[in-house]
Amino acid sequence: QVQLVESGGGVVQPGRSLRLSCGASGFSFSSYGMHWVRQAPGKGLEWVAVISHDESMEDYADSVKGRFTISRDNSKNTLYLQMDSLRAEDTAVYYCAKKLPGSYYEPPDYWGQGTLVTVSS
Amino acid sequence: DIQMTQSPSSLSAFVGDRVTITCRASQGISNNLAWYQQKPGKVPKLLIYAASTLQSGVPSRFSGSGSGTDFTLTISSLQPEDVATYYCQKYNSALFTFGPGTKVDIK
């Protein structure tokens, strides 16, 4: 079965960086695009970034463009989110999610359990 | 950018009631819409994609309809385990925007 396990969350000061990882198993990781989605405490879901299966395409929400970078290592079945210049409003649970099969423009189907990032001085 | 709205923001209904949630896109998105269920303290779960295709394993009391700008999620007979927040998400382009959510509980 599909398993996605996020790691790397924690408390970080504003302006600093953090890298999240998402280990994947139970499916052919290199065949699927992947998303990052976040959820601030008590708030709704916010899509963050997407990457194609072969890293040829990636896109970002306006709120993180220029600060966050999505990447993947298909040899390690791992997805990453490099977060730079962090702000208090980036505080959230960050979920990685596998895309539905199909085109680049497919939504998430399976989600990890999430990792909490808290940006605070 | 295309904005997504949902109505109502919350609702309360009896077990067995038919429940309908509406999602509206500010511009046409064809049928590129998904619905998710997030139970309290849990991870979101995909219910429906392509506006009306039921994800494998999802109970048949859930259904989706619509195209263009107006979409609905219907629960034909509300069950206690359906207490959750429901989100729509568009995916016609590289901005995979979610709606604000509709919280459903039992009267």
Side-chain angles (χ1 to χ4, degrees), chain B residues 43-75:
Chain B
V43 173
K45 173 185 175 183
L46 176 66
L47 296 177
I48 287 168
Y49 60 96
S52 60
T53 302
L54 205 64
Q55 173 71 336
S56 175
V58 174
S60 59
R61 64 180 179 272
F62 292 93
S63 64
S65 65
S67 183
T69 60
D70 295 315
F71 302 87
T72 59
L73 172 70
T74 300
I75 308 173

Side-chain angles (χ1 to χ4, degrees), chain A residues 39 47 59 62 105 107-108 111, chain B residues 1 36 38 43 89 91 94 96:
Chain A
Q39 187 168 34
W47 175 78
D59 283 284
D62 289 344
Y105 302 107
W111 300 57
Chain B
D1 295 351
Y36 296 87
Q38 187 178 30
V43 173
Q89 183 193 30
Y91 57 94
F96 295 78

Side-chain angles (χ1 to χ4, degrees), chain A residues 99-114:
Chain A
K99 282 163 77 298
L100 270 172
S103 77
Y104 177 69
Y105 302 107
E106 296 291 350
D109 53 4
Y110 291 97
W111 300 57
Q113 292 299 309

